[in-house]
Amino acid sequence: MKKLGIIAEYNPFHNGHKYMIEEARRISGADICVAAMSGNFVQRGEPAVLDKWTRAELALSYGIDLVLEIPTSRVLADAGRYASAGVDLLKRASCDAIAFGSECGDADLLRKIARRLDEHADSIALCIAEARKLGLNYPAARQKAYTELFGDTDPDIEKDISVLSSSNDILAIEYIRAAGDMEVYPIKRIGADYLDDIQDDEKYQSATGIRQAVSTGEDIRGYVPELTAVALKKAESNISKLGENYFNFARAAVISMSEEELENTPSGGEGLASRLRRPAISADSIKEMIDFAKSKRYTYTRVARMIAQAVLEIKRNDADMDVMYARVLGFNGAGRKLLADLRDSEFPVITNINKEMEKLEGDALRQLELDIKASDFYNIMCIKSLYSNSDRVMRPIIKE
């Protein structure tokens, strides 16, 4: 039985995600599909539009058989740590292949770049360090380092640099680096680009455009599957409260923490903490707060992640922890069989926190407590019942 893994956020689940799952299953010939999914906070460094249970249910409705949660401390880390955490979970679930969205859709090209980054890691790190001294942010510094090392001998260097500057391809490279001998299936992105606003008459919109449309009350039917549209409509009042309340959480966290504490978050360092002080007081929105702090050196996403890390009090060493358990968010009949196999391993599988967290200690307990806190804060920000929506009460979604 071929088991395919997908690392995803589904924020929210849209037509492009549905297409990607269908195409990945078709090309790979997979019998079962497992998603390693972000929880209530996502890799961009912000709360998800819909909670993780709703997103898991949508995934199960459109082609996924088992949904596992990537620990929050790794979701809010850099691309490499996020990718390796997701791949680790999929390996634990016995997946022998992974699929992912890609701007280039070229497995050989992605493997070439991943191999170079691994084989020349020390030289690239030195070049990046020199470029950082010039004030470049990490992505720009890596592109500069890559060009300096390979530009004179590789006639396709511009194609490589395009890959290293494309959002999905950056993650794709990290998936491949973590995947080892797993088969990989890059699914070429179709429709709108990653950061595009809503494009008229386009069936496949970007998640960014859809989130913006949801925040302004625009009609997104036709851009998302029917069940997603229903879920977004049902959560309309929660979504409207989320942005403002998260901004207040963010301001409170930045103001109350010392610069030393802020610098000790995974995204801290290089004086970024001091840049957040002023906008925490003067900004009128989370976007304005991030826009003020970002610069040539600090990307928007790095600032956003640092704020989320501060809100949840995630420390630098939290992001370096291995994935310590498999948190199950949902499954169907096929997923149930795979879950039974996973339970037979020595790796902790969590479906009932109250029962199973008693067996955890040390780093594993700390990792799970951060996940619980992320969900509690998310529910508070959405003005949802803290008790009935708590991770201590919720159970995996089951779709037979």
Side-chain angles (χ1 to χ4, degrees), residues 11 39-51 55 76 211 242-243 245-247 249 286 304 307-308 311-312 374 377-379 381-382:
N11 183 37
N40 284 327
F41 281 75
V42 296
Q43 227 262 320
R44 279 177 53 82
E46 59 192 23
V49 172
L50 293 171
D51 68 78
R55 286 160 36 238
L76 290 173
R211 288 194 298 271
L242 182 59
N245 287 336
Y246 180 56
F247 175 47
F249 267 69
I286 191 73
I307 291 171
V311 167
L312 299 175
F377 280 21
Y378 183 87
N379 290 328
M381 289 185 288
C382 290

Side-chain angles (χ1 to χ4, degrees), residues 92-114:
R92 297 282 187 178
S94 303
C95 292
D96 43 32
I98 58 171
F100 42 79
S102 165
E103 281 89 358
C104 74
D106 187 334
D108 291 337
L109 176 58
L110 292 167
R111 284 195 192 96
K112 181 191 82 170
I113 297 171

Side-chain angles (χ1 to χ4, degrees), residues 166-184:
S166 300
S167 300
N168 285 297
D169 282 342
I170 289 171
L171 280 172
I173 290 167
E174 298 303 330
Y175 297 148
I176 290 172
R177 296 177 76 181
D181 58 1
M182 298 174 78
E183 294 180 62
V184 297

Side-chain angles (χ1 to χ4, degrees), residues 153-227:
T153 57
D154 189 346
D156 295 324
I157 190 67
E158 290 185 6
K159 186 183 294 185
D160 291 16
I161 295 303
S162 175
V163 169
L164 284 167
S165 61
S166 300
S167 300
N168 285 297
D169 282 342
I170 289 171
L171 280 172
I173 290 167
E174 298 303 330
Y175 297 148
I176 290 172
R177 296 177 76 181
D181 58 1
M182 298 174 78
E183 294 180 62
V184 297
Y185 297 94
I187 308 301
K188 187 171 177 58
R189 186 185 183 96
I190 59 174
D193 289 337
Y194 180 74
L195 294 175
D196 279 352
D197 294 334
I198 291 291
Q199 309 291 303
D200 291 340
D201 301 321
E202 173 58 63
K203 179 180 179 181
Y204 298 104
Q205 302 287 348
S206 72
T208 301
I210 291 170
R211 288 194 298 271
Q212 290 173 345
V214 168
S215 69
T216 57
E218 295 177 48
D219 186 2
I220 46 81
R221 289 174 298 177
Y223 307 144
V224 298
E226 182 182 355
L227 293 177

Side-chain angles (χ1 to χ4, degrees), residues 92 323-326 339-350 359-360 364:
R92 297 282 187 178
V323 177
M324 309 297 287
Y325 50 80
L339 184 57
D341 293 339
L342 186 56
R343 282 194 179 282
D344 288 338
S345 70
E346 296 181 1
F347 193 63
V349 177
I350 298 176
K359 304 172 186 176
L360 302 181

Side-chain angles (χ1 to χ4, degrees), residues 329-340:
L329 296 181
F331 54 88
N332 60 17
R336 186 193 296 275
K337 296 175 184 177
L338 188 58
L339 184 57

Side-chain angles (χ1 to χ4, degrees), residues 53 66-69 326-331 339 342 349-351 396:
W53 304 103
L66 172 65
V67 183
L68 304 176
E69 180 180 0
R327 178 79 195 283
V328 181
L329 296 181
F331 54 88
L339 184 57
L342 186 56
V349 177
I350 298 176
T351 55

